Amino acid sequence: MSRIPIFLIWQLAIVVVWSNMRHPYPPYSAIELALNEVILAARLKGVSFKNTELITTSEEWDRELVVLFFYQNDTDVQWNQETGINEWLQRKFVHELNATKVRYGFSEFPEITFMFDSEENVKANFQGDYFLRLR
């Protein structure tokens, strides 16, 4: 009868424990990586943002993720909506987040809400405070 070396048993135990600890939704680092890829791709298309924000708790029970893109002014928001840039940004983000699955090993996608606004609106209606805008 052959014996299994103890180090193989420990390695197997570590793999089983690690795989059971996986989070069903993407961690914040995966979401942030996807957003950074979108920002880089947008720059190559000549699209720029004044600010971007991610809202998520990254908790196992929380399925929601809000991605906000802030353009310089309201005209940019309207133009990018009419030309399909906003729709492209949404598809690109989902694609990039899906690409992080291999690296981060999450099994489910969060419910993603995309919002497009402008710094002009934040200054005019929220005293320039992004925190007030996000509430």
Side-chain angles (χ1 to χ4, degrees), residues 9-43:
I9 293 171
W10 278 106
Q11 285 179 339
L12 179 60
I14 290 170
V15 168
V16 168
V17 168
W18 182 78
S19 66
N20 288 335
M21 291 175 57
R22 285 184 156 173
H23 198 288
Y25 301 109
Y28 189 81
S29 54
I31 296 166
E32 194 172 46
L33 178 62
L35 180 60
N36 287 336
E37 292 296 323
V38 169
I39 292 169
L40 289 173
R43 282 186 186 153

mmCIF file of all heavy atoms in Angstrom, residues 9-43:
data_model
loop_
_atom_site.group_PDB
_atom_site.id
_atom_site.type_symbol
_atom_site.label_atom_id
_atom_site.label_comp_id
_atom_site.label_asym_id
_atom_site.label_seq_id
_atom_site.Cartn_x
_atom_site.Cartn_y
_atom_site.Cartn_z
ATOM 1 N N ILE A 9 -0.866 16.370 1.102
ATOM 2 C CA ILE A 9 -2.141 16.495 1.812
ATOM 3 C C ILE A 9 -2.345 17.950 2.237
ATOM 4 O O ILE A 9 -3.432 18.507 2.084
ATOM 5 C CB ILE A 9 -2.180 15.540 3.027
ATOM 6 C CG1 ILE A 9 -2.193 14.093 2.529
ATOM 7 C CG2 ILE A 9 -3.390 15.831 3.911
ATOM 8 C CD1 ILE A 9 -2.024 13.063 3.606
ATOM 9 N N TRP A 10 -1.284 18.588 2.757
ATOM 10 C CA TRP A 10 -1.378 19.986 3.164
ATOM 11 C C TRP A 10 -1.657 20.893 1.981
ATOM 12 O O TRP A 10 -2.444 21.824 2.067
ATOM 13 C CB TRP A 10 -0.101 20.432 3.877
ATOM 14 C CG TRP A 10 -0.093 20.040 5.319
ATOM 15 C CD1 TRP A 10 0.639 19.047 5.891
ATOM 16 C CD2 TRP A 10 -0.892 20.594 6.358
ATOM 17 N NE1 TRP A 10 0.363 18.950 7.218
ATOM 18 C CE2 TRP A 10 -0.581 19.894 7.544
ATOM 19 C CE3 TRP A 10 -1.834 21.609 6.407
ATOM 20 C CZ2 TRP A 10 -1.181 20.191 8.758
ATOM 21 C CZ3 TRP A 10 -2.427 21.891 7.622
ATOM 22 C CH2 TRP A 10 -2.103 21.190 8.782
ATOM 23 N N GLN A 11 -1.005 20.631 0.862
ATOM 24 C CA GLN A 11 -1.256 21.446 -0.324
ATOM 25 C C GLN A 11 -2.699 21.309 -0.781
ATOM 26 O O GLN A 11 -3.343 22.289 -1.136
ATOM 27 C CB GLN A 11 -0.308 21.047 -1.456
ATOM 28 C CG GLN A 11 1.101 21.540 -1.247
ATOM 29 C CD GLN A 11 2.017 21.096 -2.371
ATOM 30 O OE1 GLN A 11 1.736 20.136 -3.082
ATOM 31 N NE2 GLN A 11 3.127 21.806 -2.525
ATOM 32 N N LEU A 12 -3.217 20.107 -0.773
ATOM 33 C CA LEU A 12 -4.610 19.874 -1.155
ATOM 34 C C LEU A 12 -5.548 20.593 -0.193
ATOM 35 O O LEU A 12 -6.522 21.219 -0.612
ATOM 36 C CB LEU A 12 -4.909 18.374 -1.187
ATOM 37 C CG LEU A 12 -6.333 17.978 -1.550
ATOM 38 C CD1 LEU A 12 -6.681 18.484 -2.944
ATOM 39 C CD2 LEU A 12 -6.507 16.481 -1.469
ATOM 40 N N ALA A 13 -5.259 20.529 1.096
ATOM 41 C CA ALA A 13 -6.098 21.201 2.092
ATOM 42 C C ALA A 13 -6.099 22.702 1.878
ATOM 43 O O ALA A 13 -7.135 23.359 1.979
ATOM 44 C CB ALA A 13 -5.611 20.864 3.496
ATOM 45 N N ILE A 14 -4.948 23.275 1.564
ATOM 46 C CA ILE A 14 -4.862 24.718 1.324
ATOM 47 C C ILE A 14 -5.677 25.111 0.102
ATOM 48 O O ILE A 14 -6.398 26.095 0.119
ATOM 49 C CB ILE A 14 -3.389 25.142 1.176
ATOM 50 C CG1 ILE A 14 -2.686 25.042 2.532
ATOM 51 C CG2 ILE A 14 -3.284 26.560 0.615
ATOM 52 C CD1 ILE A 14 -1.189 25.197 2.464
ATOM 53 N N VAL A 15 -5.603 24.327 -0.956
ATOM 54 C CA VAL A 15 -6.369 24.608 -2.178
ATOM 55 C C VAL A 15 -7.866 24.539 -1.902
ATOM 56 O O VAL A 15 -8.624 25.398 -2.339
ATOM 57 C CB VAL A 15 -5.967 23.638 -3.308
ATOM 58 C CG1 VAL A 15 -6.943 23.722 -4.463
ATOM 59 C CG2 VAL A 15 -4.550 23.927 -3.770
ATOM 60 N N VAL A 16 -8.315 23.541 -1.152
ATOM 61 C CA VAL A 16 -9.740 23.401 -0.839
ATOM 62 C C VAL A 16 -10.217 24.578 -0.006
ATOM 63 O O VAL A 16 -11.249 25.179 -0.292
ATOM 64 C CB VAL A 16 -10.015 22.055 -0.119
ATOM 65 C CG1 VAL A 16 -11.419 22.026 0.455
ATOM 66 C CG2 VAL A 16 -9.797 20.899 -1.070
ATOM 67 N N VAL A 17 -9.467 24.954 1.021
ATOM 68 C CA VAL A 17 -9.857 26.083 1.861
ATOM 69 C C VAL A 17 -9.875 27.371 1.040
ATOM 70 O O VAL A 17 -10.810 28.153 1.107
ATOM 71 C CB VAL A 17 -8.901 26.221 3.075
ATOM 72 C CG1 VAL A 17 -9.117 27.546 3.791
ATOM 73 C CG2 VAL A 17 -9.114 25.063 4.024
ATOM 74 N N TRP A 18 -8.835 27.600 0.215
ATOM 75 C CA TRP A 18 -8.765 28.812 -0.591
ATOM 76 C C TRP A 18 -9.933 28.897 -1.559
ATOM 77 O O TRP A 18 -10.546 29.935 -1.722
ATOM 78 C CB TRP A 18 -7.441 28.857 -1.356
ATOM 79 C CG TRP A 18 -7.303 30.104 -2.166
ATOM 80 C CD1 TRP A 18 -6.967 31.346 -1.732
ATOM 81 C CD2 TRP A 18 -7.528 30.235 -3.565
ATOM 82 N NE1 TRP A 18 -6.961 32.247 -2.759
ATOM 83 C CE2 TRP A 18 -7.300 31.591 -3.903
ATOM 84 C CE3 TRP A 18 -7.895 29.352 -4.575
ATOM 85 C CZ2 TRP A 18 -7.437 32.058 -5.203
ATOM 86 C CZ3 TRP A 18 -8.022 29.829 -5.857
ATOM 87 C CH2 TRP A 18 -7.793 31.166 -6.150
ATOM 88 N N SER A 19 -10.275 27.778 -2.197
ATOM 89 C CA SER A 19 -11.367 27.810 -3.168
ATOM 90 C C SER A 19 -12.707 28.052 -2.493
ATOM 91 O O SER A 19 -13.596 28.647 -3.076
ATOM 92 C CB SER A 19 -11.404 26.519 -3.988
ATOM 93 O OG SER A 19 -11.730 25.429 -3.159
ATOM 94 N N ASN A 20 -12.860 27.620 -1.258
ATOM 95 C CA ASN A 20 -14.107 27.866 -0.529
ATOM 96 C C ASN A 20 -14.199 29.295 -0.008
ATOM 97 O O ASN A 20 -15.272 29.762 0.327
ATOM 98 C CB ASN A 20 -14.248 26.890 0.637
ATOM 99 C CG ASN A 20 -14.549 25.489 0.161
ATOM 100 O OD1 ASN A 20 -15.090 25.299 -0.917
ATOM 101 N ND2 ASN A 20 -14.176 24.499 0.944
ATOM 102 N N MET A 21 -13.082 29.998 0.058
ATOM 103 C CA MET A 21 -13.072 31.373 0.549
ATOM 104 C C MET A 21 -13.329 32.373 -0.570
ATOM 105 O O MET A 21 -13.438 33.557 -0.317
ATOM 106 C CB MET A 21 -11.720 31.673 1.202
ATOM 107 C CG MET A 21 -11.515 30.926 2.492
ATOM 108 S SD MET A 21 -9.869 31.165 3.184
ATOM 109 C CE MET A 21 -9.789 32.919 3.356
ATOM 110 N N ARG A 22 -13.417 31.939 -1.777
ATOM 111 C CA ARG A 22 -13.631 32.857 -2.888
ATOM 112 C C ARG A 22 -14.923 33.626 -2.734
ATOM 113 O O ARG A 22 -15.946 33.090 -2.348
ATOM 114 C CB ARG A 22 -13.661 32.093 -4.212
ATOM 115 C CG ARG A 22 -12.316 31.655 -4.652
ATOM 116 C CD ARG A 22 -12.436 31.010 -5.976
ATOM 117 N NE ARG A 22 -11.174 31.079 -6.672
ATOM 118 C CZ ARG A 22 -10.936 30.484 -7.796
ATOM 119 N NH1 ARG A 22 -11.875 29.775 -8.393
ATOM 120 N NH2 ARG A 22 -9.777 30.581 -8.372
ATOM 121 N N HIS A 23 -14.845 34.866 -3.082
ATOM 122 C CA HIS A 23 -15.978 35.778 -3.012
ATOM 123 C C HIS A 23 -16.803 35.614 -4.280
ATOM 124 O O HIS A 23 -16.238 35.530 -5.362
ATOM 125 C CB HIS A 23 -15.411 37.195 -2.907
ATOM 126 C CG HIS A 23 -16.385 38.192 -2.408
ATOM 127 N ND1 HIS A 23 -17.429 38.640 -3.163
ATOM 128 C CD2 HIS A 23 -16.471 38.849 -1.231
ATOM 129 C CE1 HIS A 23 -18.112 39.532 -2.482
ATOM 130 N NE2 HIS A 23 -17.549 39.676 -1.308
ATOM 131 N N PRO A 24 -18.131 35.588 -4.183
ATOM 132 C CA PRO A 24 -18.921 35.410 -5.405
ATOM 133 C C PRO A 24 -18.880 36.621 -6.342
ATOM 134 O O PRO A 24 -19.035 36.479 -7.542
ATOM 135 C CB PRO A 24 -20.335 35.170 -4.888
ATOM 136 C CG PRO A 24 -20.374 35.772 -3.536
ATOM 137 C CD PRO A 24 -18.966 35.656 -2.997
ATOM 138 N N TYR A 25 -18.663 37.819 -5.791
ATOM 139 C CA TYR A 25 -18.644 39.032 -6.603
ATOM 140 C C TYR A 25 -17.218 39.562 -6.713
ATOM 141 O O TYR A 25 -16.374 39.264 -5.879
ATOM 142 C CB TYR A 25 -19.561 40.099 -5.997
ATOM 143 C CG TYR A 25 -20.979 39.611 -5.886
ATOM 144 C CD1 TYR A 25 -21.548 39.330 -4.660
ATOM 145 C CD2 TYR A 25 -21.727 39.366 -7.032
ATOM 146 C CE1 TYR A 25 -22.838 38.847 -4.564
ATOM 147 C CE2 TYR A 25 -23.016 38.881 -6.949
ATOM 148 C CZ TYR A 25 -23.569 38.620 -5.712
ATOM 149 O OH TYR A 25 -24.832 38.131 -5.633
ATOM 150 N N PRO A 26 -16.955 40.361 -7.732
ATOM 151 C CA PRO A 26 -15.582 40.849 -7.917
ATOM 152 C C PRO A 26 -15.114 41.729 -6.753
ATOM 153 O O PRO A 26 -15.891 42.544 -6.251
ATOM 154 C CB PRO A 26 -15.647 41.649 -9.210
ATOM 155 C CG PRO A 26 -17.075 41.837 -9.520
ATOM 156 C CD PRO A 26 -17.864 40.842 -8.757
ATOM 157 N N PRO A 27 -13.854 41.582 -6.342
ATOM 158 C CA PRO A 27 -13.328 42.471 -5.305
ATOM 159 C C PRO A 27 -13.119 43.867 -5.877
ATOM 160 O O PRO A 27 -13.081 44.054 -7.090
ATOM 161 C CB PRO A 27 -12.002 41.808 -4.925
ATOM 162 C CG PRO A 27 -11.592 41.062 -6.146
ATOM 163 C CD PRO A 27 -12.878 40.604 -6.784
ATOM 164 N N TYR A 28 -12.935 44.821 -4.987
ATOM 165 C CA TYR A 28 -12.768 46.212 -5.411
ATOM 166 C C TYR A 28 -11.593 46.359 -6.375
ATOM 167 O O TYR A 28 -11.668 47.120 -7.330
ATOM 168 C CB TYR A 28 -12.588 47.120 -4.196
ATOM 169 C CG TYR A 28 -12.630 48.579 -4.564
ATOM 170 C CD1 TYR A 28 -13.847 49.222 -4.739
ATOM 171 C CD2 TYR A 28 -11.459 49.299 -4.764
ATOM 172 C CE1 TYR A 28 -13.916 50.554 -5.101
ATOM 173 C CE2 TYR A 28 -11.511 50.641 -5.127
ATOM 174 C CZ TYR A 28 -12.735 51.262 -5.291
ATOM 175 O OH TYR A 28 -12.791 52.574 -5.664
ATOM 176 N N SER A 29 -10.522 45.616 -6.138
ATOM 177 C CA SER A 29 -9.344 45.737 -7.005
ATOM 178 C C SER A 29 -9.662 45.312 -8.440
ATOM 179 O O SER A 29 -9.140 45.894 -9.394
ATOM 180 C CB SER A 29 -8.172 44.929 -6.447
ATOM 181 O OG SER A 29 -8.542 43.591 -6.223
ATOM 182 N N ALA A 30 -10.540 44.328 -8.622
ATOM 183 C CA ALA A 30 -10.940 43.916 -9.972
ATOM 184 C C ALA A 30 -11.789 44.998 -10.638
ATOM 185 O O ALA A 30 -11.626 45.293 -11.826
ATOM 186 C CB ALA A 30 -11.718 42.604 -9.918
ATOM 187 N N ILE A 31 -12.670 45.591 -9.868
ATOM 188 C CA ILE A 31 -13.533 46.660 -10.383
ATOM 189 C C ILE A 31 -12.689 47.870 -10.773
ATOM 190 O O ILE A 31 -12.871 48.463 -11.844
ATOM 191 C CB ILE A 31 -14.598 47.038 -9.330
ATOM 192 C CG1 ILE A 31 -15.523 45.837 -9.076
ATOM 193 C CG2 ILE A 31 -15.380 48.264 -9.755
ATOM 194 C CD1 ILE A 31 -16.390 45.978 -7.844
ATOM 195 N N GLU A 32 -11.741 48.206 -9.915
ATOM 196 C CA GLU A 32 -10.861 49.338 -10.186
ATOM 197 C C GLU A 32 -9.986 49.088 -11.413
ATOM 198 O O GLU A 32 -9.787 49.983 -12.240
ATOM 199 C CB GLU A 32 -9.988 49.587 -8.956
ATOM 200 C CG GLU A 32 -9.283 50.894 -8.950
ATOM 201 C CD GLU A 32 -8.596 51.143 -7.614
ATOM 202 O OE1 GLU A 32 -7.921 50.228 -7.101
ATOM 203 O OE2 GLU A 32 -8.757 52.253 -7.101
ATOM 204 N N LEU A 33 -9.505 47.867 -11.559
ATOM 205 C CA LEU A 33 -8.706 47.510 -12.733
ATOM 206 C C LEU A 33 -9.529 47.662 -14.009
ATOM 207 O O LEU A 33 -9.063 48.226 -15.003
ATOM 208 C CB LEU A 33 -8.183 46.080 -12.605
ATOM 209 C CG LEU A 33 -7.368 45.540 -13.772
ATOM 210 C CD1 LEU A 33 -6.104 46.362 -13.984
ATOM 211 C CD2 LEU A 33 -7.011 44.077 -13.523
ATOM 212 N N ALA A 34 -10.771 47.187 -13.984
ATOM 213 C CA ALA A 34 -11.653 47.311 -15.148
ATOM 214 C C ALA A 34 -11.888 48.782 -15.489
ATOM 215 O O ALA A 34 -11.837 49.172 -16.659
ATOM 216 C CB ALA A 34 -12.979 46.599 -14.883
ATOM 217 N N LEU A 35 -12.134 49.609 -14.474
ATOM 218 C CA LEU A 35 -12.363 51.038 -14.718
ATOM 219 C C LEU A 35 -11.121 51.691 -15.315
ATOM 220 O O LEU A 35 -11.228 52.500 -16.244
ATOM 221 C CB LEU A 35 -12.771 51.747 -13.429
ATOM 222 C CG LEU A 35 -13.045 53.244 -13.568
ATOM 223 C CD1 LEU A 35 -14.186 53.511 -14.557
ATOM 224 C CD2 LEU A 35 -13.355 53.855 -12.211
ATOM 225 N N ASN A 36 -9.950 51.349 -14.805
ATOM 226 C CA ASN A 36 -8.715 51.932 -15.353
ATOM 227 C C ASN A 36 -8.524 51.561 -16.819
ATOM 228 O O ASN A 36 -8.083 52.388 -17.619
ATOM 229 C CB ASN A 36 -7.506 51.492 -14.528
ATOM 230 C CG ASN A 36 -7.456 52.179 -13.186
ATOM 231 O OD1 ASN A 36 -8.001 53.252 -12.996
ATOM 232 N ND2 ASN A 36 -6.799 51.540 -12.226
ATOM 233 N N GLU A 37 -8.869 50.335 -17.184
ATOM 234 C CA GLU A 37 -8.775 49.919 -18.588
ATOM 235 C C GLU A 37 -9.752 50.714 -19.459
ATOM 236 O O GLU A 37 -9.432 51.082 -20.587
ATOM 237 C CB GLU A 37 -9.028 48.419 -18.724
ATOM 238 C CG GLU A 37 -7.943 47.551 -18.126
ATOM 239 C CD GLU A 37 -6.600 47.718 -18.823
ATOM 240 O OE1 GLU A 37 -6.574 47.877 -20.061
ATOM 241 O OE2 GLU A 37 -5.572 47.703 -18.115
ATOM 242 N N VAL A 38 -10.929 50.974 -18.932
ATOM 243 C CA VAL A 38 -11.925 51.764 -19.665
ATOM 244 C C VAL A 38 -11.425 53.198 -19.854
ATOM 245 O O VAL A 38 -11.539 53.765 -20.947
ATOM 246 C CB VAL A 38 -13.286 51.755 -18.931
ATOM 247 C CG1 VAL A 38 -14.248 52.770 -19.531
ATOM 248 C CG2 VAL A 38 -13.893 50.357 -18.967
ATOM 249 N N ILE A 39 -10.855 53.776 -18.819
ATOM 250 C CA ILE A 39 -10.339 55.151 -18.904
ATOM 251 C C ILE A 39 -9.238 55.240 -19.958
ATOM 252 O O ILE A 39 -9.220 56.166 -20.772
ATOM 253 C CB ILE A 39 -9.853 55.634 -17.526
ATOM 254 C CG1 ILE A 39 -11.042 55.806 -16.584
ATOM 255 C CG2 ILE A 39 -9.066 56.934 -17.642
ATOM 256 C CD1 ILE A 39 -10.672 56.015 -15.130
ATOM 257 N N LEU A 40 -8.340 54.265 -19.967
ATOM 258 C CA LEU A 40 -7.264 54.258 -20.968
ATOM 259 C C LEU A 40 -7.819 54.125 -22.383
ATOM 260 O O LEU A 40 -7.402 54.835 -23.295
ATOM 261 C CB LEU A 40 -6.280 53.124 -20.681
ATOM 262 C CG LEU A 40 -5.392 53.298 -19.458
ATOM 263 C CD1 LEU A 40 -4.585 52.022 -19.203
ATOM 264 C CD2 LEU A 40 -4.472 54.492 -19.617
ATOM 265 N N ALA A 41 -8.769 53.215 -22.569
ATOM 266 C CA ALA A 41 -9.371 53.026 -23.896
ATOM 267 C C ALA A 41 -10.129 54.280 -24.333
ATOM 268 O O ALA A 41 -10.102 54.655 -25.506
ATOM 269 C CB ALA A 41 -10.301 51.813 -23.882
ATOM 270 N N ALA A 42 -10.799 54.942 -23.386
ATOM 271 C CA ALA A 42 -11.533 56.171 -23.704
ATOM 272 C C ALA A 42 -10.574 57.278 -24.145
ATOM 273 O O ALA A 42 -10.856 58.003 -25.097
ATOM 274 C CB ALA A 42 -12.356 56.612 -22.497
ATOM 275 N N ARG A 43 -9.454 57.376 -23.468
ATOM 276 C CA ARG A 43 -8.459 58.390 -23.853
ATOM 277 C C ARG A 43 -7.983 58.175 -25.279
ATOM 278 O O ARG A 43 -7.768 59.136 -26.017
ATOM 279 C CB ARG A 43 -7.264 58.342 -22.899
ATOM 280 C CG ARG A 43 -7.528 58.992 -21.581
ATOM 281 C CD ARG A 43 -6.283 59.040 -20.739
ATOM 282 N NE ARG A 43 -6.604 59.538 -19.412
ATOM 283 C CZ ARG A 43 -5.931 59.239 -18.330
ATOM 284 N NH1 ARG A 43 -4.871 58.457 -18.404
ATOM 285 N NH2 ARG A 43 -6.292 59.723 -17.169
#
